[in-house]
Amino acid sequence: MVVKVFVDVLSQPCRSVMLFLKNSKIPHEFVHVELLKDEHKKPEFQAINPMMQVPAMKDGDFCLSESVAILRYLAMKYPNDYPDNWYPADIEKRAKVDQYMAFHHQGIRQPLEELAYEEVWYPFMLNKPIDEEAVKKYHEHTKGKLDIFAKTWLGKKPFLLGEEVSFADALAVNELVQSTISRDPVTDSNDTLKAYMERVRDALNPAFDELSADIYKWRDEYIAKNKK
């Protein structure tokens, strides 16, 4: 049976799930839900996820939302259909992946989202002028969070949990790539993070660039339009 996964490539969590599936043999179908066209609010999608958020998943009659829950479900249902490094069978290594996923939302996703809303989303969605003081405050706060992330989670390892990519890297790197839609990307001052992003990109290409194409385009257009 093919698992249907409802996604929008503009969403970081969606791209994380898609990267995993593209690097697996799990039978799947991507169903694209355009957030900017409010397709997530349609009754047929609400029947799958009443929270009206992507990603969401439908496996037969079973529906599930939240990227971390979807990743774990797919890994446990199809243990032989993906490279072990993504979610290791070894209980201690798997626990380390789980540890990062428990940290991820408040650790880097939330501060990066707060900055993005002030600089990108509020002006884009609400036609609101950029609040330079608010952007400066969130930029400094997020920079500090990412410095801690780079030191405590990455350190001198090539990937977050060792020598190969895992769920942790798929989740983290998509947040970092999204943050480059900025006049002053918060990752630019951290050479460790920039090198890490390139390693993950190289490890997961061509799927990585394929899924990030719209983000790269949006980034280039945003920077050209909003140069200081």
Side-chain angles (χ1 to χ4, degrees):
M1 182 178 295
V2 174
V3 177
K4 291 187 176 183
V5 184
F6 299 81
V7 294
D8 185 326
V9 293
L10 296 182
S11 158
Q12 305 94 300
C14 286
R15 295 199 305 276
S16 300
V17 173
M18 294 172 81
L19 273 175
F20 170 60
L21 284 169
K22 281 179 171 287
N23 282 275
S24 78
K25 296 179 182 179
I26 297 171
H28 65 275
E29 173 190 352
F30 295 132
V31 181
H32 293 277
V33 179
E34 291 195 47
L35 299 178
L36 296 179
K37 293 183 179 179
D38 286 341
E39 291 182 355
H40 58 301
K41 297 179 181 179
K42 291 183 177 180
E44 54 266 36
F45 183 73
Q46 290 187 53
I48 296 163
N49 182 11
M51 296 295 292
M52 296 182 289
Q53 296 174 334
V54 289
M57 184 203 79
K58 193 171 190 293
D59 186 11
D61 293 329
F62 179 68
C63 297
L64 189 66
S65 62
E66 299 296 333
S67 56
V68 170
I70 292 170
L71 288 170
R72 285 178 173 148
Y73 173 86
L74 293 171
M76 289 186 287
K77 181 165 183 179
Y78 299 95
N80 300 315
D81 290 336
Y82 61 91
D84 183 71
N85 50 281
W86 281 89
Y87 199 49
D90 179 276
I91 191 169
E92 292 184 358
K93 292 180 179 179
R94 178 169 288 197
K96 287 294 186 181
V97 178
D98 286 335
Q99 181 182 19
Y100 176 78
M101 292 196 292
F103 160 87
H104 173 76
H105 187 87
Q106 290 188 318
I108 69 167
R109 178 167 168 75
Q110 183 175 0
L112 284 169
E113 282 280 278
E114 289 171 345
L115 174 59
Y117 269 99
E118 283 294 340
E119 185 185 357
V120 180
W121 285 110
Y122 290 152
F124 176 73
M125 294 187 297
L126 305 178
N127 200 28
K128 174 184 174 183
I130 295 175
D131 184 335
E132 298 293 353
E133 286 301 313
V135 169
K136 181 179 178 181
K137 179 187 74 173
Y138 282 118
H139 190 281
E140 289 303 311
H141 172 71
T142 305
K143 179 179 178 297
K145 288 281 190 179
L146 292 183
D147 287 346
I148 293 170
F149 165 79
K151 290 176 183 177
T152 59
W153 283 98
L154 188 57
K156 295 182 179 180
K157 301 188 300 297
F159 302 104
L160 286 177
L161 300 172
E163 297 298 317
E164 297 181 281
V165 295
S166 69
F167 286 166
D169 299 291
L171 290 165
V173 79
N174 279 298
E175 298 296 336
L176 297 174
V177 167
Q178 198 94 344
S179 75
T180 62
I181 304 174
S182 171
R183 300 164 298 169
D184 182 21
V186 71
T187 54
D188 275 4
S189 61
N190 193 313
D191 291 338
T192 298
L193 287 182
K194 289 196 292 183
Y196 164 69
M197 292 163 67
E198 283 302 310
R199 283 196 298 275
V200 178
R201 178 187 179 191
D202 290 343
L204 298 180
N205 261 339
F208 190 92
D209 280 345
E210 175 192 337
L211 295 178
S212 301
D214 286 346
I215 297 302
Y216 297 154
K217 180 181 178 181
W218 191 5
R219 175 186 63 196
D220 293 343
E221 291 174 351
Y222 179 84
I223 292 172
K225 183 178 179 181
N226 293 280
K227 285 182 179 178
K228 288 186 178 180

